[in-house]
Amino acid sequence: MAARTSRRSLAAVSRFLGVVVEVGDQQATRAFYEPIFRAAPTAGDWAQTDDLTYRAGGQRVTFAAKDEPRSLPESGQHQAYRVRADQVDVVVGTLERLGARIDWWHEDPPSERRLMPYTSDPSGNRVQLVPATTPGGNLIDHVAIEVHDIETAQVFYVAALGGRVSYYHGRSVQHYLEGRAWGEGADPCAPWTRFWPGHGLSTNPRSRGSHSHPTQQAFYGFGDCTIGLILAN
């Protein structure tokens, strides 16, 4: 009976309450995220204890202070925050003036097929800005992480936590054609969504005569939040 009760409580997961991001310089972190969060569809506020926290729309982003933050800049891990659609270019301009590099990429889920801005915070954590056309709602749109076994991960996120499968990528001929188009320079997709066979991650040098392939990906919904899993080597 206890096990059944536990399963029911886990299956009730319906949204993300927050994320924890490791950072070094908290002052530089707040200066970077301030224009992003100020343009979010829901107003929020900052709190400072040992860590720095921003709360909005019932969610929180906690910036955990670390001497050597583990930000995984060479991976596909990233956090995507919602920004009012009419403020995206304003935020991008502000971040560029702060010295941030902006890349315009798309990902593979149907809702992310248009180009969106990606950048990295001062500690190397990758950030995506997602245009929001309606007021209110979540600050966090989705989170992406790398895993080594998507099938086992699905048992956890679907069977244990009650997430719904929203999209798979990398399992059809069309996906492989799209993967090849990226390798030929015809598709500005996010680099972690493709790879060169035999050469590890897509950021490694390409080999003569080989074609790029799609990276296996799976996406699970919890309410109107999504977690994306990227198959890593």
Side-chain angles (χ1 to χ4, degrees):
M1 180 62 71
R4 290 181 181 178
T5 302
S6 175
R7 274 199 297 274
R8 287 197 185 101
S9 63
L10 286 174
V13 173
S14 61
R15 66 183 305 213
F16 298 154
L17 292 181
V19 295
V20 178
V21 181
E22 295 186 1
V23 299
D25 186 331
Q26 290 187 334
Q27 183 175 354
T29 296
R30 179 163 179 170
F32 173 87
Y33 283 96
E34 183 68 41
I36 298 174
F37 294 159
R38 189 168 56 239
T42 300
D45 57 79
W46 292 93
Q48 177 73 65
T49 54
D50 291 337
D51 298 323
L52 178 66
T53 301
Y54 187 82
R55 299 183 179 89
Q59 293 181 321
R60 68 177 61 187
V61 182
T62 299
F63 300 100
K66 300 290 183 179
D67 292 334
E68 297 181 3
R70 189 168 181 263
S71 55
L72 306 177
E74 299 302 321
S75 76
Q77 178 170 302
H78 65 279
Q79 294 80 44
Y81 302 107
R82 293 176 181 170
V83 173
R84 297 192 303 275
D86 62 352
Q87 292 296 302
V88 171
D89 289 341
V90 175
V91 173
V92 166
T94 301
L95 294 176
E96 288 179 327
R97 287 191 292 275
L98 290 173
R101 170 181 168 175
I102 306 295
D103 291 295
W104 291 84
W105 294 322
H106 76 80
E107 293 186 65
D108 294 305
S111 63
E112 295 190 69
R113 286 284 173 158
R114 65 189 185 280
L115 296 180
M116 298 185 197
Y118 294 75
T119 187
S120 295
D121 73 11
S123 298
N125 297 290
R126 183 176 285 111
V127 173
Q128 177 187 356
L129 306 183
V130 177
T133 56
T134 57
N138 295 327
L139 169 66
I140 304 166
D141 184 85
H142 65 272
V143 174
I145 61 174
E146 291 190 345
V147 299
H148 296 275
D149 186 337
I150 283 182
E151 302 300 332
T152 300
Q154 177 165 315
V155 174
F156 176 73
Y157 287 103
V158 176
L161 298 187
R164 68 183 187 281
V165 178
S166 61
Y167 183 72
Y168 283 115
H169 192 82
R171 296 184 176 182
S172 77
V173 171
Q174 180 60 37
H175 296 164
Y176 275 80
L177 293 175
E178 293 172 354
R180 180 170 178 172
W182 171 81
E184 295 170 347
D187 187 13
C189 59
W192 57 87
T193 65
R194 308 290 185 265
F195 71 97
W196 295 96
H199 289 263
L201 296 177
S202 60
T203 52
N204 285 352
R206 65 186 67 180
S207 62
R208 184 182 300 275
S210 68
H211 298 301
S212 55
H213 286 193
T215 303
Q216 294 281 322
Q217 302 161 69
F219 298 84
Y220 307 106
F222 295 89
D224 59 352
C225 296
T226 301
I227 184 166
L229 305 183
I230 306 159
L231 186 62
N233 62 5

